[in-house]
Amino acid sequence: MKQALLYDFYGELLTEHQKQIYEDVVLNDYSLSEIAQDRGISRQGVHDLIRRCNNILEEYERKLRLLERFLQVKQLAGQIDSLIDAYKLERDEELLTKIGELTAQIREKL
């Protein structure tokens, strides 16, 4: 799953050849042998290219941290949804304060 998310964020930074093979392995779940046969390259060549792509995508994430921030915002948004549901039931003003605090945290991440 992490590979697919990294690809969603940084896949456009790969070459067209890298994107095609990476998509076949990670997103389309083709075997290395199937891809090697279709592309006329060795199974080891496909394996090496996938490993190289993974390293490239991980390096982008280490530098830019877009996925990390996305996951943090997603978690905070989930907490806000839960607090809103609780507020609808209880009408507790403290919950509104917590919602405001979480919203501010999301703004900081963006």
Side-chain angles (χ1 to χ4, degrees):
M1 175 136 165
K2 184 178 179 184
Q3 287 177 309
L5 286 172
L6 286 172
Y7 183 77
D8 285 346
F9 278 89
Y10 306 111
E12 289 301 314
L13 300 172
L14 298 174
T15 67
E16 196 59 39
H17 177 71
Q18 289 171 328
K19 285 193 292 189
Q20 290 171 354
I21 292 178
Y22 198 82
E23 285 177 5
D24 283 346
V25 170
V26 176
L27 304 179
N28 300 329
D29 203 29
Y30 293 160
S31 72
L32 299 181
S33 299
E34 289 173 311
I35 296 167
Q37 185 176 359
D38 288 347
R39 304 273 179 180
I41 57 178
S42 70
R43 185 183 175 287
Q44 183 64 43
V46 174
H47 178 268
D48 290 346
L49 187 132
I50 296 301
R51 189 173 32 161
R52 197 167 40 254
C53 288
N54 282 331
N55 289 339
I56 290 168
L57 297 174
E58 290 283 349
E59 184 61 25
Y60 284 129
E61 177 59 16
R62 272 191 292 280
K63 290 178 180 177
L64 301 174
R65 301 173 61 178
L66 297 176
L67 178 57
E68 177 186 330
R69 282 186 258 172
F70 168 77
L71 294 174
Q72 290 171 347
V73 168
K74 184 177 176 183
Q75 178 190 21
L76 291 170
Q79 291 175 7
I80 288 172
D81 284 343
S82 296
L83 289 171
I84 289 171
D85 290 342
Y87 176 76
K88 287 177 183 177
L89 293 174
E90 301 172 24
R91 300 288 181 200
D92 181 352
E93 295 300 317
E94 285 184 35
L95 293 173
L96 287 178
T97 302
K98 289 179 185 177
I99 291 169
E101 291 169 359
L102 290 173
T103 303
Q105 289 179 33
I106 288 175
R107 284 191 195 104
E108 289 174 13
K109 304 265 182 230
L110 302 175

